[in-house]
PDB file of all heavy atoms in Angstrom:
ATOM      1  N   ILE G   1       0.826  -1.208   0.000  1.00  0.00           N
ATOM      2  CA  ILE G   1       0.000   0.000   0.000  1.00  0.00           C
ATOM      3  C   ILE G   1       0.861   1.260   0.000  1.00  0.00           C
ATOM      4  O   ILE G   1       0.610   2.204  -0.761  1.00  0.00           O
ATOM      5  CB  ILE G   1      -0.946  -0.015   1.214  1.00  0.00           C
ATOM      6  CG1 ILE G   1      -1.962  -1.156   1.074  1.00  0.00           C
ATOM      7  CG2 ILE G   1      -1.676   1.322   1.356  1.00  0.00           C
ATOM      8  CD1 ILE G   1      -2.806  -1.394   2.311  1.00  0.00           C
ATOM      9  N   SER G   2       1.906   1.270   0.844  1.00  0.00           N
ATOM     10  CA  SER G   2       2.748   2.454   0.958  1.00  0.00           C
ATOM     11  C   SER G   2       3.541   2.691  -0.322  1.00  0.00           C
ATOM     12  O   SER G   2       3.661   3.829  -0.798  1.00  0.00           O
ATOM     13  CB  SER G   2       3.702   2.319   2.148  1.00  0.00           C
ATOM     14  OG  SER G   2       2.997   2.173   3.351  1.00  0.00           O
ATOM     15  N   TYR G   3       4.080   1.626  -0.912  1.00  0.00           N
ATOM     16  CA  TYR G   3       4.833   1.808  -2.151  1.00  0.00           C
ATOM     17  C   TYR G   3       3.915   2.246  -3.281  1.00  0.00           C
ATOM     18  O   TYR G   3       4.291   3.097  -4.107  1.00  0.00           O
ATOM     19  CB  TYR G   3       5.568   0.525  -2.538  1.00  0.00           C
ATOM     20  CG  TYR G   3       6.478   0.725  -3.731  1.00  0.00           C
ATOM     21  CD1 TYR G   3       7.773   1.201  -3.552  1.00  0.00           C
ATOM     22  CD2 TYR G   3       6.026   0.494  -5.033  1.00  0.00           C
ATOM     23  CE1 TYR G   3       8.598   1.425  -4.645  1.00  0.00           C
ATOM     24  CE2 TYR G   3       6.838   0.709  -6.127  1.00  0.00           C
ATOM     25  CZ  TYR G   3       8.133   1.169  -5.926  1.00  0.00           C
ATOM     26  OH  TYR G   3       8.934   1.399  -7.007  1.00  0.00           O
ATOM     27  N   ALA G   4       2.700   1.678  -3.322  1.00  0.00           N
ATOM     28  CA  ALA G   4       1.746   2.102  -4.350  1.00  0.00           C
ATOM     29  C   ALA G   4       1.451   3.590  -4.233  1.00  0.00           C
ATOM     30  O   ALA G   4       1.389   4.308  -5.236  1.00  0.00           O
ATOM     31  CB  ALA G   4       0.454   1.292  -4.221  1.00  0.00           C
ATOM     32  N   ALA G   5       1.293   4.064  -2.992  1.00  0.00           N
ATOM     33  CA  ALA G   5       1.004   5.491  -2.779  1.00  0.00           C
ATOM     34  C   ALA G   5       2.175   6.365  -3.208  1.00  0.00           C
ATOM     35  O   ALA G   5       1.990   7.395  -3.868  1.00  0.00           O
ATOM     36  CB  ALA G   5       0.673   5.734  -1.307  1.00  0.00           C
ATOM     37  N   THR G   6       3.396   5.968  -2.815  1.00  0.00           N
ATOM     38  CA  THR G   6       4.563   6.777  -3.161  1.00  0.00           C
ATOM     39  C   THR G   6       4.852   6.718  -4.660  1.00  0.00           C
ATOM     40  O   THR G   6       5.259   7.723  -5.261  1.00  0.00           O
ATOM     41  CB  THR G   6       5.789   6.312  -2.369  1.00  0.00           C
ATOM     42  OG1 THR G   6       5.952   4.889  -2.524  1.00  0.00           O
ATOM     43  CG2 THR G   6       5.640   6.618  -0.899  1.00  0.00           C
ATOM     44  N   ASP G   7       4.628   5.567  -5.286  1.00  0.00           N
ATOM     45  CA  ASP G   7       4.844   5.457  -6.729  1.00  0.00           C
ATOM     46  C   ASP G   7       3.817   6.299  -7.479  1.00  0.00           C
ATOM     47  O   ASP G   7       4.140   6.948  -8.483  1.00  0.00           O
ATOM     48  CB  ASP G   7       4.741   3.988  -7.159  1.00  0.00           C
ATOM     49  CG  ASP G   7       5.046   3.799  -8.638  1.00  0.00           C
ATOM     50  OD1 ASP G   7       6.219   3.955  -9.025  1.00  0.00           O
ATOM     51  OD2 ASP G   7       4.106   3.502  -9.410  1.00  0.00           O
ATOM     52  N   PHE G   8       2.591   6.311  -6.975  1.00  0.00           N
ATOM     53  CA  PHE G   8       1.554   7.152  -7.575  1.00  0.00           C
ATOM     54  C   PHE G   8       1.945   8.625  -7.496  1.00  0.00           C
ATOM     55  O   PHE G   8       1.741   9.391  -8.442  1.00  0.00           O
ATOM     56  CB  PHE G   8       0.223   6.915  -6.869  1.00  0.00           C
ATOM     57  CG  PHE G   8      -0.861   7.867  -7.281  1.00  0.00           C
ATOM     58  CD1 PHE G   8      -1.477   7.743  -8.518  1.00  0.00           C
ATOM     59  CD2 PHE G   8      -1.263   8.897  -6.444  1.00  0.00           C
ATOM     60  CE1 PHE G   8      -2.474   8.619  -8.910  1.00  0.00           C
ATOM     61  CE2 PHE G   8      -2.251   9.775  -6.830  1.00  0.00           C
ATOM     62  CZ  PHE G   8      -2.860   9.635  -8.062  1.00  0.00           C
ATOM     63  N   THR G   9       2.529   9.026  -6.342  1.00  0.00           N
ATOM     64  CA  THR G   9       2.953  10.409  -6.187  1.00  0.00           C
ATOM     65  C   THR G   9       4.009  10.786  -7.207  1.00  0.00           C
ATOM     66  O   THR G   9       4.011  11.897  -7.745  1.00  0.00           O
ATOM     67  CB  THR G   9       3.521  10.620  -4.765  1.00  0.00           C
ATOM     68  OG1 THR G   9       2.530  10.248  -3.817  1.00  0.00           O
ATOM     69  CG2 THR G   9       3.891  12.078  -4.541  1.00  0.00           C
ATOM     70  N   SER G  10       4.922   9.869  -7.495  1.00  0.00           N
ATOM     71  CA  SER G  10       6.038  10.170  -8.393  1.00  0.00           C
ATOM     72  C   SER G  10       5.662  10.056  -9.866  1.00  0.00           C
ATOM     73  O   SER G  10       6.138  10.839 -10.692  1.00  0.00           O
ATOM     74  CB  SER G  10       7.209   9.221  -8.097  1.00  0.00           C
ATOM     75  OG  SER G  10       7.631   9.348  -6.760  1.00  0.00           O
ATOM     76  N   HIS G  11       4.795   9.080 -10.226  1.00  0.00           N
ATOM     77  CA  HIS G  11       4.577   8.778 -11.631  1.00  0.00           C
ATOM     78  C   HIS G  11       3.121   8.845 -12.075  1.00  0.00           C
ATOM     79  O   HIS G  11       2.832   8.722 -13.267  1.00  0.00           O
ATOM     80  CB  HIS G  11       5.120   7.380 -11.947  1.00  0.00           C
ATOM     81  CG  HIS G  11       6.568   7.201 -11.632  1.00  0.00           C
ATOM     82  ND1 HIS G  11       7.007   6.499 -10.526  1.00  0.00           N
ATOM     83  CD2 HIS G  11       7.681   7.656 -12.247  1.00  0.00           C
ATOM     84  CE1 HIS G  11       8.329   6.514 -10.480  1.00  0.00           C
ATOM     85  NE2 HIS G  11       8.756   7.208 -11.508  1.00  0.00           N
ATOM     86  N   GLY G  12       2.202   9.000 -11.145  1.00  0.00           N
ATOM     87  CA  GLY G  12       0.797   8.953 -11.496  1.00  0.00           C
ATOM     88  C   GLY G  12       0.279   7.534 -11.481  1.00  0.00           C
ATOM     89  O   GLY G  12       1.024   6.578 -11.262  1.00  0.00           O
ATOM     90  N   ILE G  13      -1.002   7.368 -11.734  1.00  0.00           N
ATOM     91  CA  ILE G  13      -1.609   6.047 -11.649  1.00  0.00           C
ATOM     92  C   ILE G  13      -1.181   5.184 -12.836  1.00  0.00           C
ATOM     93  O   ILE G  13      -1.089   5.650 -13.972  1.00  0.00           O
ATOM     94  CB  ILE G  13      -3.147   6.167 -11.582  1.00  0.00           C
ATOM     95  CG1 ILE G  13      -3.767   4.841 -11.179  1.00  0.00           C
ATOM     96  CG2 ILE G  13      -3.723   6.696 -12.884  1.00  0.00           C
ATOM     97  CD1 ILE G  13      -5.222   4.943 -10.787  1.00  0.00           C
ATOM     98  N   ASP G  14      -0.826   3.927 -12.559  1.00  0.00           N
ATOM     99  CA  ASP G  14      -0.492   2.970 -13.603  1.00  0.00           C
ATOM    100  C   ASP G  14      -0.853   1.571 -13.123  1.00  0.00           C
ATOM    101  O   ASP G  14      -1.335   1.379 -12.004  1.00  0.00           O
ATOM    102  CB  ASP G  14       0.988   3.062 -13.991  1.00  0.00           C
ATOM    103  CG  ASP G  14       1.933   2.861 -12.810  1.00  0.00           C
ATOM    104  OD1 ASP G  14       1.567   2.125 -11.867  1.00  0.00           O
ATOM    105  OD2 ASP G  14       3.036   3.432 -12.826  1.00  0.00           O
ATOM    106  N   ARG G  15      -0.622   0.581 -13.951  1.00  0.00           N
ATOM    107  CA  ARG G  15      -1.029  -0.781 -13.607  1.00  0.00           C
ATOM    108  C   ARG G  15      -0.274  -1.319 -12.398  1.00  0.00           C
ATOM    109  O   ARG G  15      -0.824  -2.096 -11.612  1.00  0.00           O
ATOM    110  CB  ARG G  15      -0.817  -1.692 -14.810  1.00  0.00           C
ATOM    111  CG  ARG G  15      -1.790  -1.426 -15.957  1.00  0.00           C
ATOM    112  CD  ARG G  15      -1.596  -2.407 -17.102  1.00  0.00           C
ATOM    113  NE  ARG G  15      -2.549  -2.165 -18.175  1.00  0.00           N
ATOM    114  CZ  ARG G  15      -2.588  -2.865 -19.306  1.00  0.00           C
ATOM    115  NH1 ARG G  15      -1.715  -3.855 -19.497  1.00  0.00           N
ATOM    116  NH2 ARG G  15      -3.489  -2.582 -20.234  1.00  0.00           N
ATOM    117  N   LEU G  16       0.988  -0.918 -12.259  1.00  0.00           N
ATOM    118  CA  LEU G  16       1.790  -1.413 -11.142  1.00  0.00           C
ATOM    119  C   LEU G  16       1.215  -0.963  -9.810  1.00  0.00           C
ATOM    120  O   LEU G  16       0.961  -1.794  -8.927  1.00  0.00           O
ATOM    121  CB  LEU G  16       3.238  -0.932 -11.278  1.00  0.00           C
ATOM    122  CG  LEU G  16       4.151  -1.246 -10.072  1.00  0.00           C
ATOM    123  CD1 LEU G  16       4.259  -2.751  -9.848  1.00  0.00           C
ATOM    124  CD2 LEU G  16       5.536  -0.618 -10.266  1.00  0.00           C
ATOM    125  N   ASN G  17       1.007   0.361  -9.640  1.00  0.00           N
ATOM    126  CA  ASN G  17       0.522   0.797  -8.330  1.00  0.00           C
ATOM    127  C   ASN G  17      -0.936   0.407  -8.104  1.00  0.00           C
ATOM    128  O   ASN G  17      -1.358   0.236  -6.965  1.00  0.00           O
ATOM    129  CB  ASN G  17       0.771   2.300  -8.091  1.00  0.00           C
ATOM    130  CG  ASN G  17       0.303   3.182  -9.205  1.00  0.00           C
ATOM    131  OD1 ASN G  17      -0.813   3.033  -9.677  1.00  0.00           O
ATOM    132  ND2 ASN G  17       1.154   4.131  -9.626  1.00  0.00           N
ATOM    133  N   GLU G  18      -1.710   0.246  -9.169  1.00  0.00           N
ATOM    134  CA  GLU G  18      -3.065  -0.287  -8.998  1.00  0.00           C
ATOM    135  C   GLU G  18      -3.015  -1.712  -8.452  1.00  0.00           C
ATOM    136  O   GLU G  18      -3.746  -2.062  -7.517  1.00  0.00           O
ATOM    137  CB  GLU G  18      -3.816  -0.283 -10.335  1.00  0.00           C
ATOM    138  CG  GLU G  18      -4.364   1.070 -10.748  1.00  0.00           C
ATOM    139  CD  GLU G  18      -5.146   0.973 -12.039  1.00  0.00           C
ATOM    140  OE1 GLU G  18      -4.845   0.072 -12.864  1.00  0.00           O
ATOM    141  OE2 GLU G  18      -6.071   1.770 -12.233  1.00  0.00           O
ATOM    142  N   ALA G  19      -2.142  -2.549  -9.044  1.00  0.00           N
ATOM    143  CA  ALA G  19      -2.014  -3.941  -8.609  1.00  0.00           C
ATOM    144  C   ALA G  19      -1.506  -4.025  -7.176  1.00  0.00           C
ATOM    145  O   ALA G  19      -1.980  -4.841  -6.372  1.00  0.00           O
ATOM    146  CB  ALA G  19      -1.080  -4.692  -9.553  1.00  0.00           C
ATOM    147  N   LEU G  20      -0.535  -3.166  -6.827  1.00  0.00           N
ATOM    148  CA  LEU G  20       0.008  -3.174  -5.475  1.00  0.00           C
ATOM    149  C   LEU G  20      -1.043  -2.755  -4.449  1.00  0.00           C
ATOM    150  O   LEU G  20      -1.110  -3.301  -3.345  1.00  0.00           O
ATOM    151  CB  LEU G  20       1.220  -2.248  -5.392  1.00  0.00           C
ATOM    152  CG  LEU G  20       2.497  -2.741  -6.068  1.00  0.00           C
ATOM    153  CD1 LEU G  20       3.550  -1.643  -6.081  1.00  0.00           C
ATOM    154  CD2 LEU G  20       3.037  -3.982  -5.364  1.00  0.00           C
ATOM    155  N   LEU G  21      -1.875  -1.773  -4.819  1.00  0.00           N
ATOM    156  CA  LEU G  21      -2.919  -1.321  -3.907  1.00  0.00           C
ATOM    157  C   LEU G  21      -3.940  -2.430  -3.655  1.00  0.00           C
ATOM    158  O   LEU G  21      -4.351  -2.676  -2.513  1.00  0.00           O
ATOM    159  CB  LEU G  21      -3.608  -0.082  -4.481  1.00  0.00           C
ATOM    160  CG  LEU G  21      -4.550   0.676  -3.551  1.00  0.00           C
ATOM    161  CD1 LEU G  21      -3.813   1.192  -2.332  1.00  0.00           C
ATOM    162  CD2 LEU G  21      -5.218   1.828  -4.294  1.00  0.00           C
ATOM    163  N   ILE G  22      -4.334  -3.118  -4.707  1.00  0.00           N
ATOM    164  CA  ILE G  22      -5.286  -4.228  -4.554  1.00  0.00           C
ATOM    165  C   ILE G  22      -4.657  -5.352  -3.736  1.00  0.00           C
ATOM    166  O   ILE G  22      -5.295  -5.930  -2.839  1.00  0.00           O
ATOM    167  CB  ILE G  22      -5.725  -4.745  -5.937  1.00  0.00           C
ATOM    168  CG1 ILE G  22      -6.530  -3.659  -6.671  1.00  0.00           C
ATOM    169  CG2 ILE G  22      -6.542  -6.023  -5.802  1.00  0.00           C
ATOM    170  CD1 ILE G  22      -6.824  -3.992  -8.122  1.00  0.00           C
ATOM    171  N   ALA G  23      -3.387  -5.669  -4.021  1.00  0.00           N
ATOM    172  CA  ALA G  23      -2.690  -6.718  -3.278  1.00  0.00           C
ATOM    173  C   ALA G  23      -2.598  -6.368  -1.802  1.00  0.00           C
ATOM    174  O   ALA G  23      -2.780  -7.222  -0.922  1.00  0.00           O
ATOM    175  CB  ALA G  23      -1.297  -6.939  -3.859  1.00  0.00           C
ATOM    176  N   GLY G  24      -2.324  -5.098  -1.505  1.00  0.00           N
ATOM    177  CA  GLY G  24      -2.234  -4.660  -0.117  1.00  0.00           C
ATOM    178  C   GLY G  24      -3.553  -4.824   0.615  1.00  0.00           C
ATOM    179  O   GLY G  24      -3.588  -5.261   1.770  1.00  0.00           O
ATOM    180  N   ALA G  25      -4.658  -4.471  -0.056  1.00  0.00           N
ATOM    181  CA  ALA G  25      -5.977  -4.619   0.562  1.00  0.00           C
ATOM    182  C   ALA G  25      -6.288  -6.084   0.851  1.00  0.00           C
ATOM    183  O   ALA G  25      -6.819  -6.432   1.912  1.00  0.00           O
ATOM    184  CB  ALA G  25      -7.042  -4.016  -0.350  1.00  0.00           C
ATOM    185  N   ILE G  26      -5.938  -6.974  -0.100  1.00  0.00           N
ATOM    186  CA  ILE G  26      -6.160  -8.408   0.118  1.00  0.00           C
ATOM    187  C   ILE G  26      -5.317  -8.916   1.279  1.00  0.00           C
ATOM    188  O   ILE G  26      -5.781  -9.703   2.117  1.00  0.00           O
ATOM    189  CB  ILE G  26      -5.837  -9.194  -1.170  1.00  0.00           C
ATOM    190  CG1 ILE G  26      -6.836  -8.827  -2.275  1.00  0.00           C
ATOM    191  CG2 ILE G  26      -5.851 -10.703  -0.906  1.00  0.00           C
ATOM    192  CD1 ILE G  26      -6.490  -9.401  -3.639  1.00  0.00           C
ATOM    193  N   LEU G  27      -4.067  -8.457   1.371  1.00  0.00           N
ATOM    194  CA  LEU G  27      -3.172  -8.897   2.433  1.00  0.00           C
ATOM    195  C   LEU G  27      -3.643  -8.417   3.804  1.00  0.00           C
ATOM    196  O   LEU G  27      -3.398  -9.088   4.810  1.00  0.00           O
ATOM    197  CB  LEU G  27      -1.748  -8.417   2.157  1.00  0.00           C
ATOM    198  CG  LEU G  27      -1.019  -9.181   1.049  1.00  0.00           C
ATOM    199  CD1 LEU G  27       0.237  -8.431   0.618  1.00  0.00           C
ATOM    200  CD2 LEU G  27      -0.666 -10.594   1.515  1.00  0.00           C
ATOM    201  N   ILE G  28      -4.303  -7.261   3.869  1.00  0.00           N
ATOM    202  CA  ILE G  28      -4.875  -6.804   5.140  1.00  0.00           C
ATOM    203  C   ILE G  28      -5.939  -7.798   5.614  1.00  0.00           C
ATOM    204  O   ILE G  28      -6.009  -8.155   6.804  1.00  0.00           O
ATOM    205  CB  ILE G  28      -5.501  -5.400   4.989  1.00  0.00           C
ATOM    206  CG1 ILE G  28      -4.392  -4.331   4.851  1.00  0.00           C
ATOM    207  CG2 ILE G  28      -6.395  -5.074   6.184  1.00  0.00           C
ATOM    208  CD1 ILE G  28      -3.596  -4.093   6.107  1.00  0.00           C
ATOM    209  N   ILE G  29      -6.759  -8.285   4.681  1.00  0.00           N
ATOM    210  CA  ILE G  29      -7.778  -9.283   5.027  1.00  0.00           C
ATOM    211  C   ILE G  29      -7.105 -10.575   5.494  1.00  0.00           C
ATOM    212  O   ILE G  29      -7.519 -11.189   6.486  1.00  0.00           O
ATOM    213  CB  ILE G  29      -8.686  -9.554   3.817  1.00  0.00           C
ATOM    214  CG1 ILE G  29      -9.445  -8.279   3.431  1.00  0.00           C
ATOM    215  CG2 ILE G  29      -9.675 -10.684   4.123  1.00  0.00           C
ATOM    216  CD1 ILE G  29     -10.257  -8.397   2.149  1.00  0.00           C
ATOM    217  N   VAL G  30      -6.043 -10.983   4.787  1.00  0.00           N
ATOM    218  CA  VAL G  30      -5.295 -12.176   5.195  1.00  0.00           C
ATOM    219  C   VAL G  30      -4.711 -11.999   6.591  1.00  0.00           C
ATOM    220  O   VAL G  30      -4.779 -12.919   7.428  1.00  0.00           O
ATOM    221  CB  VAL G  30      -4.163 -12.468   4.178  1.00  0.00           C
ATOM    222  CG1 VAL G  30      -3.254 -13.593   4.686  1.00  0.00           C
ATOM    223  CG2 VAL G  30      -4.748 -12.837   2.819  1.00  0.00           C
ATOM    224  N   PHE G  31      -4.186 -10.817   6.875  1.00  0.00           N
ATOM    225  CA  PHE G  31      -3.616 -10.537   8.194  1.00  0.00           C
ATOM    226  C   PHE G  31      -4.670 -10.671   9.289  1.00  0.00           C
ATOM    227  O   PHE G  31      -4.426 -11.283  10.333  1.00  0.00           O
ATOM    228  CB  PHE G  31      -3.022  -9.129   8.208  1.00  0.00           C
ATOM    229  CG  PHE G  31      -2.630  -8.640   9.578  1.00  0.00           C
ATOM    230  CD1 PHE G  31      -1.543  -9.173  10.245  1.00  0.00           C
ATOM    231  CD2 PHE G  31      -3.375  -7.644  10.204  1.00  0.00           C
ATOM    232  CE1 PHE G  31      -1.185  -8.725  11.504  1.00  0.00           C
ATOM    233  CE2 PHE G  31      -3.027  -7.198  11.466  1.00  0.00           C
ATOM    234  CZ  PHE G  31      -1.933  -7.739  12.117  1.00  0.00           C
ATOM    235  N   VAL G  32      -5.847 -10.133   9.055  1.00  0.00           N
ATOM    236  CA  VAL G  32      -6.923 -10.219  10.048  1.00  0.00           C
ATOM    237  C   VAL G  32      -7.300 -11.671  10.303  1.00  0.00           C
ATOM    238  O   VAL G  32      -7.492 -12.099  11.460  1.00  0.00           O
ATOM    239  CB  VAL G  32      -8.152  -9.412   9.587  1.00  0.00           C
ATOM    240  CG1 VAL G  32      -9.334  -9.664  10.527  1.00  0.00           C
ATOM    241  CG2 VAL G  32      -7.821  -7.926   9.548  1.00  0.00           C
ATOM    242  N   LEU G  33      -7.384 -12.469   9.243  1.00  0.00           N
ATOM    243  CA  LEU G  33      -7.718 -13.883   9.399  1.00  0.00           C
ATOM    244  C   LEU G  33      -6.638 -14.623  10.183  1.00  0.00           C
ATOM    245  O   LEU G  33      -6.946 -15.474  11.030  1.00  0.00           O
ATOM    246  CB  LEU G  33      -7.905 -14.529   8.014  1.00  0.00           C
ATOM    247  CG  LEU G  33      -9.100 -14.018   7.199  1.00  0.00           C
ATOM    248  CD1 LEU G  33      -9.105 -14.652   5.812  1.00  0.00           C
ATOM    249  CD2 LEU G  33     -10.411 -14.301   7.928  1.00  0.00           C
ATOM    250  N   ILE G  34      -5.378 -14.293   9.940  1.00  0.00           N
ATOM    251  CA  ILE G  34      -4.283 -14.914  10.683  1.00  0.00           C
ATOM    252  C   ILE G  34      -4.357 -14.554  12.155  1.00  0.00           C
ATOM    253  O   ILE G  34      -4.205 -15.411  13.038  1.00  0.00           O
ATOM    254  CB  ILE G  34      -2.917 -14.482  10.085  1.00  0.00           C
ATOM    255  CG1 ILE G  34      -2.727 -15.091   8.694  1.00  0.00           C
ATOM    256  CG2 ILE G  34      -1.764 -14.892  11.011  1.00  0.00           C
ATOM    257  CD1 ILE G  34      -1.492 -14.574   7.977  1.00  0.00           C
ATOM    258  N   GLU G  35      -4.610 -13.283  12.440  1.00  0.00           N
ATOM    259  CA  GLU G  35      -4.636 -12.828  13.823  1.00  0.00           C
ATOM    260  C   GLU G  35      -5.801 -13.438  14.603  1.00  0.00           C
ATOM    261  O   GLU G  35      -5.685 -13.682  15.803  1.00  0.00           O
ATOM    262  CB  GLU G  35      -4.725 -11.294  13.876  1.00  0.00           C
ATOM    263  CG  GLU G  35      -3.512 -10.585  13.281  1.00  0.00           C
ATOM    264  CD  GLU G  35      -2.223 -10.972  13.975  1.00  0.00           C
ATOM    265  OE1 GLU G  35      -1.931 -10.419  15.051  1.00  0.00           O
ATOM    266  OE2 GLU G  35      -1.492 -11.826  13.429  1.00  0.00           O
ATOM    267  N   ARG G  36      -6.898 -13.703  13.935  1.00  0.00           N
ATOM    268  CA  ARG G  36      -8.063 -14.274  14.612  1.00  0.00           C
ATOM    269  C   ARG G  36      -7.798 -15.687  15.113  1.00  0.00           C
ATOM    270  O   ARG G  36      -8.393 -16.133  16.105  1.00  0.00           O
ATOM    271  CB  ARG G  36      -9.268 -14.283  13.661  1.00  0.00           C
ATOM    272  CG  ARG G  36      -9.860 -12.902  13.408  1.00  0.00           C
ATOM    273  CD  ARG G  36     -10.966 -12.976  12.383  1.00  0.00           C
ATOM    274  NE  ARG G  36     -12.096 -13.777  12.849  1.00  0.00           N
ATOM    275  CZ  ARG G  36     -13.127 -13.302  13.521  1.00  0.00           C
ATOM    276  NH1 ARG G  36     -13.180 -12.013  13.809  1.00  0.00           N
ATOM    277  NH2 ARG G  36     -14.108 -14.088  13.904  1.00  0.00           N
ATOM    278  N   SER G  37      -6.884 -16.385  14.436  1.00  0.00           N
ATOM    279  CA  SER G  37      -6.624 -17.779  14.796  1.00  0.00           C
ATOM    280  C   SER G  37      -5.280 -17.988  15.492  1.00  0.00           C
ATOM    281  O   SER G  37      -4.985 -19.094  15.936  1.00  0.00           O
ATOM    282  CB  SER G  37      -6.682 -18.659  13.547  1.00  0.00           C
ATOM    283  OG  SER G  37      -5.720 -18.243  12.590  1.00  0.00           O
ATOM    284  N   SER G  38      -4.479 -16.926  15.605  1.00  0.00           N
ATOM    285  CA  SER G  38      -3.138 -17.074  16.173  1.00  0.00           C
ATOM    286  C   SER G  38      -3.162 -16.959  17.697  1.00  0.00           C
ATOM    287  O   SER G  38      -3.837 -16.096  18.256  1.00  0.00           O
ATOM    288  CB  SER G  38      -2.204 -16.000  15.596  1.00  0.00           C
ATOM    289  OG  SER G  38      -0.925 -16.056  16.219  1.00  0.00           O
ATOM    290  N   LYS G  39      -2.395 -17.841  18.360  1.00  0.00           N
ATOM    291  CA  LYS G  39      -2.256 -17.768  19.814  1.00  0.00           C
ATOM    292  C   LYS G  39      -1.223 -16.724  20.222  1.00  0.00           C
ATOM    293  O   LYS G  39      -1.168 -16.315  21.380  1.00  0.00           O
ATOM    294  CB  LYS G  39      -1.854 -19.137  20.371  1.00  0.00           C
ATOM    295  CG  LYS G  39      -2.921 -20.213  20.188  1.00  0.00           C
ATOM    296  CD  LYS G  39      -2.468 -21.541  20.772  1.00  0.00           C
ATOM    297  CE  LYS G  39      -3.541 -22.616  20.592  1.00  0.00           C
ATOM    298  NZ  LYS G  39      -3.099 -23.924  21.147  1.00  0.00           N
ATOM    299  N   GLU G  40      -0.366 -16.331  19.289  1.00  0.00           N
ATOM    300  CA  GLU G  40       0.671 -15.331  19.558  1.00  0.00           C
ATOM    301  C   GLU G  40       0.488 -14.153  18.608  1.00  0.00           C
ATOM    302  O   GLU G  40       1.404 -13.747  17.908  1.00  0.00           O
ATOM    303  CB  GLU G  40       2.069 -15.950  19.382  1.00  0.00           C
ATOM    304  CG  GLU G  40       2.358 -17.117  20.297  1.00  0.00           C
ATOM    305  CD  GLU G  40       2.569 -16.680  21.735  1.00  0.00           C
ATOM    306  OE1 GLU G  40       2.667 -15.459  21.975  1.00  0.00           O
ATOM    307  OE2 GLU G  40       2.636 -17.553  22.610  1.00  0.00           O
TER     308      GLU G  40
END
């Protein structure tokens, strides 16, 4: 998410930062699912 934002600032919107933003959002969901089941 952070790299997508900084790349957008430098170069404008393109397929790379769009893909990174979507990937980041999916990974946030994955993180929440991991935390719900993790003992640590």
Side-chain angles (χ1 to χ4, degrees):
I1 294 171
S2 300
Y3 186 85
T6 52
D7 184 70
F8 172 74
T9 303
S10 301
H11 303 104
I13 193 167
D14 57 30
R15 290 183 179 179
L16 173 61
N17 50 48
E18 281 183 332
L20 287 172
L21 191 61
I22 294 171
I26 294 172
L27 286 166
I28 288 290
I29 297 174
V30 172
F31 170 71
V32 172
L33 294 175
I34 291 173
E35 296 301 279
R36 287 176 64 90
S37 59
S38 175
K39 295 181 180 179
E40 300 288 350

